Amino acid sequence: MDQALSDTGWRGSQEGWLEAAYHSLLDSGVDSVKILPLAKRLNLSRTSFYWFFKDREELLAGLVARWRDKNTGNIVKQSEAYAESLAEAMLNVFDCWLNNDLFDARFEFAVRSWALQSDEILAEVRQADQLRLEALKRMFIRFGLPEATSDVRARTTYLVQIGYISMQAKEELAVRMKRIPEYIAIYTGEVPQQRELDRFFSRHGYRPG
């Protein structure tokens, strides 16, 4: 048993290698995600990598799966979450833009940058965009908007946020929160109720001044 634990510690873990690859991707781009530098980062032997991954391509595929599951998965989940109104449904989606546990903006930027040099990753990004847009469109349709209107509103909502990410725009939390009601009104055509805003602000630890 002791020997097994020792071996596991020496080799690291699949999640440990993925986490190191994730940080390298965010810090320096996909070209930095290589086995030897990651081994040095983890203070492990290069050969220990092969206990968990067949090759670098399998590691990169693991990164893509992690991005897909988190960022796309949570946008879809939040768009389908219970809401009493369309405005509240949009606030559920906005949770993604303010909670890194739901949506990782730096990861999104890194993968989109990676797509500039890889047709395969570009295809992944385009597929993710389509899945996210379809989820947002379904959300609008659920609240009775026509299909064409739902499509345009979904695109407006999503493409503005991707613009934020691509421009690496930074806003203080208080500034962004003050803009939220106007964004919701523009995207949905509904003015959010104060109780809906209060619940949203509370989720993100914000108290209006």
Side-chain angles (χ1 to χ4, degrees):
M1 182 60 141
D2 291 342
Q3 184 61 44
L5 290 171
S6 176
D7 286 349
T8 301
W10 173 70
R11 294 169 187 158
S13 67
Q14 185 177 65
E15 183 57 31
W17 283 97
L18 270 172
E19 188 70 11
Y22 162 80
H23 286 292
S24 290
L25 177 69
L26 265 57
D27 293 343
S28 306
V30 68
D31 290 339
S32 71
V33 184
K34 296 180 179 177
I35 299 168
L36 185 56
L38 293 178
K40 290 180 178 178
R41 186 174 192 141
L42 291 166
N43 197 28
L44 294 169
S45 70
R46 185 177 188 277
T47 56
S48 65
F49 171 86
Y50 296 99
W51 284 94
F52 306 105
F53 300 96
K54 181 177 66 176
D55 51 26
R56 178 175 180 263
E57 292 306 310
E58 188 173 37
L59 175 67
L60 294 178
L63 277 178
V64 172
R66 182 174 177 171
W67 163 77
R68 185 193 307 120
D69 292 346
K70 181 172 187 176
N71 285 9
T72 300
N74 281 322
I75 289 177
V76 173
K77 179 182 176 181
Q78 290 299 110
S79 74
E80 295 173 347
Y82 173 78
E84 295 178 359
S85 68
L86 178 54
E88 187 173 35
M90 184 60 75
L91 287 168
N92 289 338
V93 172
F94 268 49
D95 286 340
C96 293
W97 317 145
L98 292 160
N99 184 348
N100 194 64
D101 290 336
L102 291 176
F103 185 92
D104 189 332
R106 289 188 66 206
F107 201 3
E108 186 75 14
F109 181 84
V111 171
R112 288 180 179 276
S113 297
W114 181 5
L116 297 175
Q117 62 190 87
S118 167
D119 289 341
E120 183 179 352
I121 301 305
L122 179 60
E124 288 278 356
V125 168
R126 286 176 173 168
Q127 181 181 35
D129 287 337
Q130 189 61 34
L131 289 171
R132 297 169 188 182
L133 284 165
E134 287 173 358
L136 292 171
K137 180 179 174 180
R138 287 195 302 272
M139 181 185 76
F140 285 107
I141 290 172
R142 190 169 93 234
F143 285 91
L145 274 68
E147 184 171 351
T149 302
S150 297
D151 178 65
V152 172
R153 288 185 183 271
R155 290 177 179 279
T156 303
T157 301
Y158 181 67
L159 295 176
V160 167
Q161 186 57 36
I162 294 302
Y164 261 93
I165 293 167
S166 298
M167 292 173 65
Q168 297 185 287
K170 303 293 182 183
E171 287 177 331
E172 291 183 3
L173 180 62
V175 172
R176 190 156 209 196
M177 287 300 195
K178 286 177 182 178
R179 291 173 174 164
I180 293 292
E182 293 297 330
Y183 276 127
I184 299 301
I186 290 169
Y187 293 161
T188 68
E190 293 183 4
V191 176
Q193 298 295 313
Q194 189 59 51
R195 67 178 183 275
E196 295 170 338
L197 289 170
D198 288 343
R199 287 195 291 265
F200 177 78
F201 292 151
S202 178
R203 289 200 294 272
H204 299 286
Y206 173 71
R207 293 184 178 181

